[in-house]
Amino acid sequence: MLAPSTNDAYAGAPWAAHLLAILGILAILPGIVHIALPDGGAGTIAGIDLGACRPAIVGCFAWAGATQIVFGATMLLVALRYRSLVPTLYVLVLVERGLHALNGWVLKSSGHHPPEHYAVLVALPILLAGLVASARPRVA
């Protein structure tokens, strides 16, 4: 079911691939929380007043959790088996996290900032460093 590994074609820094694996796990864990908690973490973690919109908000959090699990699994698969795609995944994660930051802080900010809004600000420079390290060939 899986294509042959491309790890031999990866010329970037090994730590960048390892970091991508960690980021994959860090995407899967909140995805599980969004699916497993009765409120998806919307009220208990993000501090959102669920009010009359509870079913819609909880449903959106569960949907987001499902995508986080799949995206995290993809990051893990690339980091462990298809390392030639590590730079590509970093670009995708940077776009995704950048859009999160842009929406959370600028375009759709309500003034309420759950923990994730702060996490993306910390993650962006780390992701950029991972991209640079994964795309730059190792010096022998």
Side-chain angles (χ1 to χ4, degrees):
M1 196 143 101
L2 295 176
S5 175
T6 64
N7 287 356
D8 292 341
Y10 178 66
W15 69 263
H18 298 288
L19 177 62
L20 187 64
I22 293 167
L23 294 171
I25 293 167
L26 292 175
I28 292 169
L29 293 176
I32 293 169
V33 167
H34 290 321
I35 289 173
L37 286 181
D39 70 347
T44 55
I45 296 171
I48 296 171
D49 179 14
L50 301 178
C53 295
R54 180 183 179 88
I57 294 170
V58 172
C60 286
F61 268 63
W63 169 79
T67 61
Q68 284 175 303
I69 291 169
V70 172
F71 197 37
T74 302
M75 286 189 269
L76 270 174
L77 187 62
V78 165
L80 299 175
R81 188 167 171 89
Y82 303 109
R83 288 194 177 168
S84 64
L85 294 173
V86 167
T88 304
L89 253 292
Y90 270 111
V91 169
L92 292 174
V93 177
L94 268 164
V95 169
E96 188 245 358
R97 298 281 88 193
L99 290 171
H100 271 277
L102 187 62
N103 283 317
W105 290 98
V106 179
L107 299 178
K108 304 200 188 290
S109 178
S110 65
H112 172 75
H113 296 289
E116 179 65 17
H117 286 181
Y118 297 97
V120 295
L121 297 179
V122 172
L124 287 171
I126 295 168
L127 291 166
L128 187 57
L131 171 61
V132 170
S134 69
R136 183 177 297 159
R138 282 179 263 177
V139 179

